[in-house]
Amino acid sequence: MHLTPTRSRIRLRAAAVAAALGALLLAPLPATQQAEAAATLTNAGFESDATGTATPAGWSTYSAAGQNAASFTEAGGRSGGYRLSHWSAAAYKVETYQYLSGLADGTYTLSAWVRSGGGQNAAYLALRNCGSAEQRTDLPVTSSGWIRIVTPVTVTGGACTISINSDAKAGNWLNVDDLTFTAGSTGLAVKGVDVSSLKKSEDLGGTYRTSAGTTGDPVAILKNAGANYGRLKVWVNPADGYNNKARVLATAQRIKAQGMKLLVDFHYSDIWADPGAQSKPAAWQGHSYTQLKTDVHNHTYDVLNALKAQGTTADMVQIGNEINTGMLWPEGSTSNWSQLAGLLNSGISAAKAVSSNTQIALHLANGGDNALYRTWFDNATAQGVSYDVIAFSFYGYWHGALSSLQANLDDISARYGKKVMVAETAYPFRLDSEDSHENIIDLSSELVPGYPASAAGQSAWLRDVMNVVEAVPNGRGLGVFYWEPTWTAVTGNGWDPTDSSSGNGWENQALFDYDSKLLPAANWLAHR
């Protein structure tokens, strides 16, 4: 059955919209509509209607420009036969909504499965008229796979409007299906930034400014934008003297002074450790496996105990960085899991000896690769490795679709009963390089479809990764770290710590632009 509004209701709705100064920012619904509302979602999977229904049963449709037909049901649901779609051959604004009443006051979360081709001026789910501030979650760009997003709200007064909104250009589309509205809340405990390169940048003349152009402390600037966690990598004896114990201690003081928490990322190397390189520190070369276990323990304990002694105890520790293939090759390779487990447990025991409250994270790259994570953590479990958090690197231009990240986060968190987080992500705000060094991502063909190399594209990427992590079931989505937001183009602060003339291939993915001003993406760190 269609819920076609009467002319009087349409006039009331138009007046409410005008008063709210926005076609989609709707005022409370008329009392006659409220009287018809229920306390549970009706037709949440859009299965009560056939293809082409503009106003699905249980729902209402509104468009100030009379474009209700841009909202319709059609075949091809995520489950069942049908879904809700927004689309028109001409530019359109439309809202599909359902009003709930008789709710017990408290916290609720809307969950929905969505897809979108992107390009809209705005495309989002909203919870409004709930007696508290309106909450929104934007739809990610995902044309291939469905993604679940969530929106939490506090209901006061027993009523709430669930709303699906499009402000779209001609041909833009979205799909929505399988909504739920249940008690409980969501949010991200970790909204972090990796500022490992910051000290070297500043020592070589790097400066940082707010979005308004005021020069300031970049740690404070990022904290004021919403960051609540700082991440610092530790190398053993790096050639340039940065990212070592002394420099980590100094930057940790700045992080803690801002009231932020601290994640320490042990590479167990003198240089970058990642899936393709896990080289031993020079001081540990030639050591036996037994000696390497002692090395790992002593180095981990030494750094963390020094942090504790200066009043900046680490809140979380990574034992190894992107250890898909193990660490401290060849002894700690995944080809010898019993030895890798021994090295991991050595570092873990040292961290817990310094502070039993410090959380232990194990970190892999390739965040969309479920088979990798299952194999790796099945082995870790079988070998008795004890940890608290599973950390993912996820760069969309290398690691697959957001839907793959979500599927992996959901599966891995449930399979091992652990909190999960994205320990590294980033995205370019432009493609050209500020220095003479070629950027890692510098071609439009390398970009994630739907996310341009622009300030808006970078903002959307961080927003959508955070939304995917927030949607992990049972509150196991811990948070997200943006990788190296302060690694701007400063002469001498390049990739290679052994070569001061090496350039920076990352400045186009920092959160400070080529004028050293904070970019809009940083503001998403304050979101829920």
Side-chain angles (χ1 to χ4, degrees):
M1 179 184 293
H2 295 180
L3 298 180
T4 305
T6 65
R7 290 184 180 179
S8 62
R9 286 186 188 170
I10 291 174
R11 285 195 296 270
L12 284 170
R13 293 296 291 156
V17 170
L21 299 178
L24 296 179
L25 300 177
L26 302 182
L29 299 178
T32 51
Q33 177 66 57
Q34 295 178 18
E36 298 171 5
T40 57
L41 273 172
T42 300
N43 194 20
F46 305 100
E47 295 301 309
S48 298
D49 308 279
T51 295
T53 302
T55 304
W59 295 84
S60 299
T61 305
Y62 176 76
S63 172
Q67 298 169 304
N68 285 21
S71 169
F72 54 91
T73 55
E74 62 179 337
R78 189 195 73 91
S79 65
Y82 299 98
R83 67 193 183 206
L84 178 76
S85 295
H86 285 180
W87 177 88
S88 177
Y92 64 95
K93 294 183 180 181
V94 71
E95 176 191 23
T96 310
Y97 65 93
Q98 188 169 151
Y99 185 82
L100 300 181
S101 67
L103 298 168
D105 287 353
T107 58
Y108 291 83
T109 294
L110 174 69
S111 173
W113 289 87
V114 302
R115 297 191 303 190
S116 172
Q120 297 96 334
N121 300 316
Y124 59 92
L125 304 183
L127 296 173
R128 55 169 65 104
N129 306 323
C130 306
S132 60
E134 177 181 317
Q135 296 294 316
R136 293 185 180 184
T137 302
D138 296 89
L139 270 66
V141 181
T142 171
S143 57
S144 56
W146 291 88
I147 287 181
R148 184 185 61 259
I149 58 176
V150 294
T151 310
V153 74
T154 299
V155 172
T156 303
C160 194
T161 300
I162 287 97
S163 177
I164 303 160
N165 301 264
S166 291
D167 177 355
K169 304 177 184 71
N172 292 162
W173 62 270
L174 64 77
N175 304 145
V176 178
D177 202 4
D178 297 336
L179 295 92
T180 63
F181 189 70
T182 56
S185 189
T186 63
L188 295 178
V190 174
K191 292 167 280 190
V193 287
D194 186 315
V195 291
S196 297
S197 69
L198 175 59
K199 177 60 176 167
K200 187 174 182 179
S201 173
E202 291 177 321
D203 287 352
L204 294 171
T207 58
Y208 300 86
R209 297 193 285 166
T210 66
S211 57
T214 303
T215 300
D217 176 1
V219 179
I221 292 171
L222 290 166
K223 163 64 185 312
N224 291 336
N228 65 1
Y229 235 107
R231 180 179 187 250
L232 297 173
K233 69 170 173 276
V234 187
W235 289 337
V236 178
N237 290 305
D240 62 358
Y242 286 88
N243 301 118
N244 63 2
K245 173 185 169 183
R247 262 41 187 267
V248 165
L249 287 170
T251 306
Q253 287 181 316
R254 296 173 62 182
I255 289 169
K256 289 283 191 168
Q258 292 297 328
M260 299 165 66
K261 292 186 176 182
L262 174 65
L263 167 60
V264 179
D265 173 16
F266 285 94
H267 282 226
Y268 301 111
S269 181
D270 293 335
I271 199 168
W272 304 99
D274 57 44
Q278 294 283 338
S279 56
K280 289 194 286 286
W284 303 358
Q285 292 292 335
H287 286 191
S288 67
Y289 166 65
T290 300
Q291 182 60 46
L292 286 172
K293 287 198 297 181
T294 301
D295 293 333
V296 167
H297 185 280
N298 291 348
H299 171 61
T300 306
Y301 187 92
D302 180 48
V303 173
L304 295 180
N305 196 51
L307 285 165
K308 181 180 179 180
Q310 71 172 13
T312 59
T313 301
D315 299 282
M316 191 183 301
V317 171
Q318 278 181 224
I319 305 299
N321 186 75
E322 294 189 334
I323 50 177
N324 304 28
T325 50
M327 65 188 204
L328 294 168
W329 291 347
E331 288 80 3
S333 165
T334 49
S335 62
N336 190 333
W337 251 102
S338 64
Q339 291 194 172
L340 172 57
L343 293 169
L344 292 170
N345 282 328
S346 186
I348 291 166
S349 66
K352 290 294 188 180
V354 173
S355 171
S356 60
N357 293 327
T358 295
Q359 297 285 286
I360 303 299
L362 299 179
H363 173 214
L364 308 186
N366 304 85
D369 187 345
N370 183 244
L372 163 69
Y373 279 71
R374 279 189 167 216
T375 299
W376 202 98
F377 283 97
D378 279 355
N379 277 299
T381 300
Q383 294 293 332
V385 179
S386 177
Y387 60 94
D388 305 298
V389 176
I390 298 175
F392 299 58
S393 285
F394 187 76
Y395 299 98
Y397 38 74
W398 292 328
H399 297 155
L402 281 168
S403 55
S404 297
L405 171 65
Q406 179 166 79
N408 199 22
L409 289 167
D410 291 359
D411 177 67
I412 294 302
S413 63
R415 185 177 179 88
Y416 304 104
K418 301 293 184 180
K419 297 271 190 175
V420 291
M421 70 179 186
V422 171
E424 295 184 21
T425 195
Y427 203 76
F429 62 90
R430 57 196 293 170
L431 292 175
D432 61 311
S433 181
E434 189 178 8
D435 62 13
S436 60
H437 189 80
E438 180 180 278
N439 289 333
I440 289 178
I441 302 298
D442 64 350
L443 299 173
S444 58
S445 60
E446 296 173 310
L447 298 173
V448 179
Y451 296 88
S454 64
Q458 183 187 58
S459 294
W461 178 258
L462 179 56
R463 176 198 74 198
D464 292 346
V465 171
M466 293 175 72
N467 285 342
V468 164
V469 177
E470 185 182 9
V472 175
N474 299 311
R476 291 192 175 124
L478 191 59
V480 175
F481 282 86
Y482 196 95
W483 195 72
E484 289 286 11
T486 59
W487 198 1
T488 53
V490 175
T491 301
N493 192 15
W495 275 100
D496 189 351
T498 69
D499 180 5
S500 61
S501 67
S502 63
N504 178 5
W506 198 260
E507 74 269 17
N508 68 326
Q509 300 195 62
L511 289 181
F512 292 85
D513 67 15
Y514 289 4
D515 292 321
S516 302
K517 293 169 63 176
L518 188 71
L519 285 156
N523 294 321
W524 282 102
L525 295 168
H527 185 58
R528 289 204 291 269

